[in-house]
Amino acid sequence: MQDPTTDFELSRLIQTVLTLHFIEGMKQSEIADKLNMSHSKVNRLIAQGRKLGMVKISIDTPFPRLAELEADLCGAGALRAAVVTPSVLGNAETTLNQVGRAAAGLLLENLRDGDVIAISGGRAVSAVVENLVAERPMDVTVVPLTGGVQGKFYTDVNRLVSLLAERLSGRAMLLHAPLFAENRQQCDMLKDMAQVRDILDLARGATVALTGVGSVAPSGSSYYDLNPVPKSDREMLVRMGVEAEFLAHLVGRDGTVADYELNRRLVAVNPAELGSCRVVIGVASGPQKARPLQAVLNGGFLHTLVSDEETVTALLGNLKGSKNVA
């Protein structure tokens, strides 16, 4: 066999093939036709070029800062993967839409035929669904992770389930139950109904989960779209150390589900029950979500996070600060 390191003609031929393939973007079959050689020889020359170190691939991104933030988030140890989008300063809606588009792409990358997708309600999940465009029909089933709240379109989780299933050409399984029961007895009764129990069991066994992360402290928090409470109760929750809403459960800063009466009246999957999912994707946008995200990460509820630069920068600052305190 000829040695490319000493055979100038072979070395030149390898360089020509590599240039046509990697620089000019020609397919191997097109190179074979152009150079009048077999497809197998083109493939062999490319393999030789790789082995000799003649191919060096670098990725030049226009957003190096975002890639650094993604790596820092994963390096913090709480996530398998992260996607960070640019923040549009002064335009929270546009930023959320960009996050939703990125999360829609990530969701499609993670879906396989036969999957069960379980989703929560919320503005962020709504942004994902609205930006999702599948290239082919998918054999998937979409189910809700929680009961529903009538009112704003993004609190109606059944609506989002139906829309996502439609966009994927899959099946929707709906949960016809309120998010909050009036008392614990009613909650137990609802969960024991076959049509409710079966949907919640399907959600618990989902292969992919997509969920938002809600805040509690701001007056405009989406949690209060689910459950309007007096200002005194909101202040009490903050004093209790509650930082986040996740699957409608109030979560403390240490990542534990809070000892709060409403948490025991929820018709919803418990955050700890997502552990069997192949991937749990969290979606959140806005710097007010930094502390809630920290709480949810402390609970180990997410595998992947999709958020924006401003939010992730604040989140990493919080994570670094908590380590320094510890």
Side-chain angles (χ1 to χ4, degrees):
M1 181 180 293
Q2 294 170 291
D3 183 355
T5 62
T6 59
D7 188 319
F8 172 76
E9 287 303 318
L10 178 56
S11 180
R12 183 193 61 77
L13 184 57
I14 292 175
Q15 178 182 335
T16 300
V17 169
L18 293 177
T19 300
L20 292 173
H21 186 54
F22 291 104
I23 304 300
E24 298 188 16
M26 291 180 64
K27 298 178 181 178
Q28 293 187 25
S29 58
E30 294 172 334
I31 297 172
D33 290 340
K34 180 179 178 68
L35 301 181
N36 194 26
M37 63 178 64
S38 68
H39 184 281
S40 60
K41 184 172 182 179
V42 172
N43 186 274
R44 186 168 62 253
L45 290 170
I46 291 174
Q48 284 182 279
R50 287 181 182 276
K51 188 175 181 179
L52 290 167
M54 296 172 69
V55 179
K56 301 184 185 299
I57 299 175
S58 64
I59 300 174
D60 186 14
T61 170
F63 302 111
R65 167 65 175 163
L66 304 183
E68 291 174 7
L69 290 174
E70 292 170 357
D72 289 345
L73 266 181
C74 295
L79 294 167
R80 297 178 192 167
V83 177
V84 181
T85 70
S87 299
V88 182
L89 297 181
N91 197 325
E93 197 64 32
T94 299
T95 299
L96 176 59
N97 191 56
Q98 288 189 157
V99 169
R101 190 180 305 116
L106 182 69
L107 177 62
L108 289 173
E109 290 174 13
N110 280 276
L111 287 183
R112 306 289 182 270
D113 285 325
D115 278 348
V116 174
I117 313 160
I119 70 171
S120 73
R123 292 187 184 96
V125 173
S126 179
V128 177
V129 175
E130 290 170 0
N131 280 284
L132 191 142
V133 180
E135 293 183 356
R136 66 172 181 87
M138 302 200 72
D139 178 21
V140 295
T141 301
V142 188
V143 298
L145 285 159
T146 73
V149 174
Q150 297 298 316
K152 299 182 179 179
F153 67 93
Y154 52 80
T155 65
D156 186 352
V157 67
N158 279 342
R159 173 192 171 277
L160 294 178
V161 165
S162 298
L163 183 54
L164 179 57
E166 179 183 332
R167 299 210 166 193
L168 293 170
S169 300
R171 295 170 298 281
M173 304 289 287
L174 306 182
L175 179 56
H176 297 293
L179 177 57
F180 294 101
E182 294 181 3
N183 50 58
R184 291 196 211 180
Q185 292 75 21
Q186 185 187 69
C187 184
D188 291 340
M189 180 190 71
L190 286 168
K191 288 181 176 180
D192 197 45
M193 295 174 61
Q195 59 182 348
V196 174
R197 183 180 64 246
D198 291 349
I199 296 299
L200 289 178
D201 284 346
L202 193 59
R204 291 184 185 101
T207 41
V208 178
L210 173 70
T211 177
V213 176
S215 54
V216 174
S219 58
S221 164
S222 57
Y223 178 72
Y224 304 118
D225 291 330
L226 304 176
N227 176 42
V229 297
K231 182 179 179 181
S232 58
D233 281 23
R234 301 182 186 191
E235 294 171 347
M236 177 193 68
L237 292 174
V238 173
R239 289 196 300 272
M240 288 173 57
V242 171
E243 290 282 8
E245 171 266 314
F246 188 73
L247 305 187
H249 290 75
L250 295 175
V251 177
R253 62 176 61 96
D254 63 353
T256 59
V257 174
D259 182 17
Y260 185 59
E261 174 62 22
L262 277 179
N263 280 346
R264 293 184 283 273
R265 288 164 38 198
L266 284 169
V267 181
V269 170
N270 188 286
E273 295 176 316
L274 295 181
S276 63
C277 292
R278 185 177 71 232
V279 59
V280 181
I281 301 171
V283 190
S285 177
Q288 76 278 5
K289 296 294 181 72
R291 292 175 69 90
L293 281 168
Q294 182 181 5
V296 169
L297 293 182
N298 285 340
F301 300 135
L302 298 178
H303 299 148
T304 300
L305 174 64
V306 185
S307 190
D308 64 278
E309 181 178 4
E310 187 179 12
T311 304
V312 171
T313 299
L315 170 60
L316 287 169
N318 291 347
L319 292 172
K320 182 178 180 180
S322 64
K323 287 184 178 180
N324 290 339
V325 169

